[in-house]
Amino acid sequence: MTARPAITRVLGDITEQRVDAIVNAANSSLLGGGGVDGAIHRRGGPEILAECRRLRAGRYGRGLPTGQAVATTAGRLPARWVIHTVGPVHSTTEDRSEQLASCYRESLRVAAELGARTVAFPAISTGVYRWPVADAARVAVRAVTEAAAVGAFVELRFVLFDEPAHRAFGAALAP
């Protein structure tokens, strides 16, 4: 029987996490943007952008589809890899929870293929994609808990940028 990884949360900056893989809440272009995506590209340096451009020139010519994930180097970040995933834009007329859950599952699948044992996640889709943070936390925690068995993970960490997100993920993680 495989031990279950610790699923934790911290209030902080995802670009400062010393983990094997950092998950980037990317846009489909993979070429950087605002929020978490912009911070990861700025702090990680040009190596990340260069690999993203190669991905766009090849397999992801039309961009990375929502809910999928792909890895690049972490450049100057204190991690080994960045796993880019594109979250869905929140909708009040269409349930896109499965797409959001897929971001976490696919990121863990890619992390397992890389051999990552520690992974840090942001609160995907809660920024400019306007997903309500309490609902995003519920979806994220369920998806990560269910998918944790795909690899030999030791810790799966949610890195939350502000106190409301930290509280919401705390509530979602509570037994």
Side-chain angles (χ1 to χ4, degrees), residues 34-162:
V36 169
D37 192 21
I40 286 172
H41 275 270
R42 279 189 303 279
R43 179 129 188 243
E47 300 87 354
I48 296 172
L49 183 58
E51 280 196 35
C52 286
R53 284 189 172 135
R54 282 193 290 278
L55 289 167
R56 283 301 306 268
R59 181 175 180 191
Y60 298 104
R62 293 183 172 201
L64 184 64
T66 300
Q68 292 190 17
V70 65
T72 65
T73 181
R76 299 178 195 145
L77 295 170
R80 187 165 176 194
W81 301 286
V82 172
I83 299 171
H84 307 267
T85 190
V86 180
V89 174
H90 183 260
S91 171
T92 57
T93 60
E94 178 186 351
D95 183 5
R96 298 179 180 164
S97 299
E98 180 54 33
Q99 290 178 316
L100 182 58
S102 181
C103 292
Y104 292 95
R105 285 194 306 268
E106 286 298 301
S107 293
L108 285 174
R109 181 189 59 75
V110 169
E113 289 173 0
L114 294 168
R117 295 179 48 80
T118 54
V119 181
F121 295 93
I124 298 168
S125 288
T126 62
V128 296
Y129 289 177
R130 300 179 312 279
W131 204 288
V133 71
D135 189 54
R138 178 189 57 78
V139 172
V141 168
R142 180 181 301 144
V144 166
T145 301
E146 291 172 357
V150 302
F153 301 114
V154 174
E155 182 187 10
L156 302 172
R157 181 185 310 163
F158 292 105
V159 182
L160 297 316
F161 190 70
D162 61 23

